[in-house]
Amino acid sequence: MKIAIVCYPTFGGSGVIATELGLELARRGHEIHFITYRQPVRLALLNSNVFYHEVNVPEYPLFHYQPYELALSSKLVDMVTLHKIELLHVHYAIPHAYAGYMAKQMLKEQGISIPMVTTLHGTDITLVGNHPNYKTAVSFSINQSDVVTAVSNDLKEETYRLFDIKKEIHVIPNFIELDKYRNESHIACQRSVMADKEERIITHISNFRKVKRIPDVVKIFYKIQQKIPAKLMMVGDGPERVKAEYLCEELGISDKVIFFGNSSEIDSILSYSDLFLLPSETESFGLAALEAMAWGVPVISTNSGGLPEVNVEGESGFMADVGAIDTMAEKAITILSAKETLSTFKSNALKVAQKFDIAFVLPMYEELYANALK
């Protein structure tokens, strides 16, 4: 199949999933065309079946905001026509499904009919999409898609609750490539760079937005390090980072916390981590938690959104209510206190992660593609 993938080219989960999906499809012999405004961060073009087409939005003084959707839909039409693309897979309802629908209509004028698969990832539904200014367009874009998928059952139900959706929504979970995690030969940094031998390494990775409850991460760690020697690795960047740095100073733990920013060493950090903290207000899936589990890192998370579909209570880690800092700290200490307990949780975390291997998930997409093309 010749497939065009439209996504955000950023560090966020949706962009990572879209990119990894496209690369794996290419390895299976499909021809993949990424169409976005910048090359995705994890996209390596050393594959004869992978192509990247940049969407350029020309500056024009008439527009206060440059019309990306217009440029994207036009680019889709040009690329479908030029490369004989057979199917569009867009990640995010707006603006991508909206632009995809406009491209489909323009292609019809040329006698070309092309199906569109739309994958919902979370904030396009629960945050941006639910805004009154966008809600009508989101409902329209989803209903006009030929196939709709969501990354968790929770997101599926939330979509039906928030919007007037007539389409069936198929649940296809996010995935990981376990072969990559088993191959540790590329791990560059040494554990001693992050912590002393007797210290546990606790990690958090996110975009540092309010929904991630970054102060809770710091407060949970503060309670943990009072009982167990530990260091906290804070990976990512965003509006809550400065507040977190000030909080570390107030609590007197700045020397025990490392802020990495948007690091390219995530695999190295996770390979040496003992525990992952994700006390989010909500997560449509919890890809960061799954990536930690793939490295055999148990997870302490909230029980909101799609997290219970990823983090298995008492096996891969523990869950608690949003804001339950004391409970999450106690659960963390339970895991970290004894070597045997930590070892068991690490092993179980990997076993749970194996259920989300791309080898099991990718055929679900291929089946949907085949049905859409019929």
Side-chain angles (χ1 to χ4, degrees):
M1 285 180 271
K2 293 185 177 183
I3 304 166
I5 291 180
V6 182
C7 64
Y8 282 117
T10 57
F11 280 91
S14 68
V16 170
I17 285 295
T19 305
E20 298 291 354
L21 173 64
L23 293 175
E24 186 63 23
L25 286 166
R27 284 191 281 269
R28 294 193 178 213
H30 302 289
E31 184 177 302
I32 305 301
H33 296 260
F34 287 94
I35 302 176
T36 184
Y37 59 84
R38 190 174 65 241
Q39 183 171 324
V41 292
R42 293 198 185 184
L43 178 58
L45 294 173
L46 298 177
N47 187 312
S48 59
N49 288 334
V50 176
F51 303 87
Y52 164 62
H53 312 288
E54 184 171 342
V55 180
N56 293 304
V57 185
E59 296 286 338
Y60 188 59
L62 175 65
F63 298 119
H64 184 65
Y65 299 105
Q66 303 307 315
Y68 177 65
E69 293 88 342
L70 180 61
L72 175 58
S73 59
S74 296
K75 187 72 171 184
L76 286 170
V77 170
D78 292 343
M79 294 302 99
V80 168
T81 306
L82 179 63
H83 297 285
K84 310 300 180 188
I85 291 169
E86 302 168 90
L87 180 140
L88 304 179
H89 188 171
V90 301
H91 295 257
Y92 265 53
I94 55 171
H96 299 150
Y98 190 81
Y101 168 77
M102 295 306 299
K104 281 167 59 75
Q105 300 312 301
M106 287 187 277
L107 286 164
K108 280 184 180 179
E109 296 294 315
Q110 302 179 28
I112 298 173
S113 178
I114 184 170
M116 179 172 70
V117 177
T118 297
T119 293
L120 310 176
H121 286 271
T123 52
D124 54 336
I125 298 301
T126 58
L127 186 62
V128 179
N130 196 38
H131 192 283
N133 290 352
Y134 301 114
K135 195 165 187 175
T136 302
V138 170
S139 294
F140 177 83
S141 300
I142 294 173
N143 284 321
Q144 293 300 317
S145 301
D146 297 281
V147 178
V148 183
T149 75
V151 297
S152 68
N153 279 296
D154 180 80
L155 181 58
K156 170 185 174 180
E157 296 305 320
E158 192 74 352
T159 304
Y160 282 132
R161 185 181 70 82
L162 294 172
F163 302 92
D164 183 21
I165 302 301
K166 307 293 195 299
K167 303 288 293 188
E168 178 184 2
I169 299 177
H170 305 267
V171 175
I172 300 183
N174 286 336
F175 55 80
I176 47 171
E177 294 181 80
L178 274 175
D179 286 343
K180 181 185 78 171
Y181 294 90
R182 293 193 187 101
N183 179 17
E184 299 184 18
S185 61
H186 65 290
I187 299 303
C189 81
Q190 297 297 316
R191 188 187 189 282
S192 58
V193 174
M194 297 184 286
D196 295 334
K197 186 175 181 180
E198 72 277 3
E199 291 177 317
R200 300 297 191 195
I201 295 177
I202 299 167
T203 300
H204 171 81
I205 302 172
S206 77
N207 53 18
F208 284 54
R209 289 186 292 116
K210 278 193 175 182
V211 70
K212 303 298 181 179
R213 298 183 69 94
I214 302 301
D216 286 9
V217 176
V218 175
K219 291 173 185 177
I220 293 166
F221 172 74
Y222 175 72
K223 292 180 177 294
I224 294 171
Q225 58 85 40
Q226 289 179 317
K227 301 287 186 180
I228 296 172
K231 287 282 181 64
L232 175 62
M233 310 294 121
M234 297 288 276
V235 185
D237 205 353
E240 295 289 291
R241 175 174 171 172
V242 173
K243 187 186 298 184
E245 290 175 332
Y246 278 125
L247 181 57
C248 289
E249 289 181 16
E250 291 175 14
L251 296 174
I253 56 173
S254 293
D255 61 327
K256 298 182 179 180
V257 182
I258 301 175
F259 287 87
F260 286 89
N262 287 324
S263 174
S264 59
E265 301 294 326
I266 289 175
D267 289 339
S268 298
I269 295 166
L270 287 176
S271 70
Y272 292 117
S273 295
D274 297 299
L275 189 71
F276 190 82
L277 299 180
L278 196 63
S280 306
E281 190 83 30
T282 187
E283 293 278 349
S284 59
F285 180 81
L287 182 60
L290 179 58
E291 290 186 331
M293 288 157 54
W295 280 107
V297 182
V299 175
I300 299 293
S301 74
T302 49
N303 52 18
S304 62
L307 283 168
E309 299 173 43
V310 181
N311 187 18
V312 180
E313 176 72 13
E315 288 188 43
S316 57
F318 291 109
M319 293 180 289
D321 293 337
V322 175
I325 293 169
D326 289 342
T327 301
M328 284 186 266
E330 290 169 6
K331 299 284 190 181
I333 292 168
T334 298
I335 292 175
L336 297 171
S337 293
K339 287 184 179 180
E340 296 78 11
T341 303
L342 178 58
S343 178
T344 298
F345 272 93
K346 280 179 170 284
S347 177
N348 289 341
L350 177 57
K351 288 178 183 177
V352 173
Q354 288 170 342
K355 299 175 184 177
F356 297 91
D357 187 22
I358 194 170
F360 302 121
V361 177
L362 187 132
M364 300 181 192
Y365 279 114
E366 288 183 310
E367 183 178 355
L368 284 183
Y369 293 162
N371 289 336
L373 286 168
K374 291 177 183 177

